[in-house]
């Protein structure tokens, strides 16, 4: 019985219009590689449907903007930093539909949580935990 032959660049197979990627082509791997493979496949399928041929090129879309946000370590404090309270839908409204129950964090709350979380290694050191 035959098997699919997959072009590493375009993820096209030896069967026209059939594409393969992810674990099928690489074996078990990381989530990042799976996401990248899915993106490559989507672009390759789009090109195929547009009738475009040739090598697939993916532009590097990372931003060049640098934002100095400081480090959690720069803030020297020993005060406890409790978790940010996440707003929730009211219980009587939850049964009416399938909306998310947790409303998520505002941007400033997310920054606070990220900074609070990055301090956990220091808290372990101060208590003397060996983790």
């Amino acid at each position: 019985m035959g098997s699919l032959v997959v072009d590493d660049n375009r993820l096209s197979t030896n069967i026209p219009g059939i594409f393969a990627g992810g674990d099928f082509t690489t074996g078990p791997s990381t989530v990042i590689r799976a996401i990248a493979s899915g993106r490559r496949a989507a672009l390759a399928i789009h090109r195929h449907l547009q009738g475009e041929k040739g090598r697939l090129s993916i532009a590097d879309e990372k931003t060049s903007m640098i934002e100095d946000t400081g480090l959690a370590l720069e803030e020297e404090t020993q005060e406890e930093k409790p978790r940010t309270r996440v707003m929730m839908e009211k219980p009587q409204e939850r049964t009416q539909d399938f909306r998310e129950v947790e409303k998520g964090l505002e941007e400033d709350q997310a920054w606070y949580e990220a900074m609070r979380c990055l301090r956990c290694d220091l808290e372990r050191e101060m208590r003397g935990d060996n983790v």
Side-chain angles (χ1 to χ4, degrees), residues 19-91:
F19 295 80
D23 289 357
F24 181 83
T25 59
T26 63
S29 190
T30 65
V31 171
I32 296 300
R33 286 194 62 175
I35 292 169
S37 180
R39 181 168 187 247
R40 179 173 290 280
L43 293 169
I45 292 167
H46 177 76
R47 287 173 46 92
H48 172 76
L49 294 174
Q50 298 297 314
E52 297 176 25
K53 305 266 186 232
R55 189 161 177 76
L56 176 63
S57 176
I58 299 177
D60 184 356
E61 296 175 356
K62 290 187 263 329
T63 179
S64 61
M65 184 174 72
I66 297 173
E67 186 175 328
D68 182 17
T69 58
L71 299 172
L73 302 176
E74 292 172 355
E75 181 188 327
E76 290 299 325
T77 181
Q78 293 197 13
E79 71 182 71
E80 280 200 31
K81 292 187 170 188
R83 282 187 163 188
T84 300
R85 186 163 188 256
V86 177
M87 298 304 294
M88 310 266 284
E89 287 291 338
K90 294 178 181 149

